[in-house]
Amino acid sequence: EIQKAINLLNQSVIKHPTGFAWLLLARAYGLQGNEAAANYASAEYSLRIGAFEIAREQLRQARKSRPDSRLALKIGDLETRIDTLLKK
């Protein structure tokens, strides 16, 4: 079941936030039809591989998909992290 995979992957990215885990999580959310979460997870992956502009676009897409308030906060936090990294 997709939800079980999402639950396990969410635990994984908390304990060991690897790019590959974020990529798998993005895919699982996509299969579930949760576009906002899929784009957010894709942005986390893109950040980890250094594709900052792609990550920004994925976050814009996540916002367009009307995320819930919890995800909206995560999106904002990730935008701030990207901006901080680009200023260095």
Side-chain angles (χ1 to χ4, degrees), residues 24-86:
L24 291 175
L25 187 56
R27 176 78 172 127
Y29 277 128
L31 289 171
Q32 190 182 51
N34 187 340
E35 293 302 314
N39 280 307
Y40 169 77
S42 294
E44 286 278 7
Y45 168 75
S46 295
L47 173 68
R48 279 158 179 76
I49 64 167
F52 301 124
E53 291 305 319
I54 292 171
R56 280 184 169 176
E57 179 56 31
Q58 290 163 327
L59 291 174
R60 279 191 284 275
Q61 292 300 317
R63 282 204 188 278
K64 284 183 183 178
S65 299
R66 299 183 182 185
D68 62 29
S69 59
R70 194 171 124 225
L71 183 55
L73 286 172
K74 289 181 177 184
I75 291 167
D77 288 345
L78 186 53
E79 287 170 334
T80 300
R81 284 192 342 219
I82 292 168
D83 290 343
T84 300
L85 288 169
L86 288 174

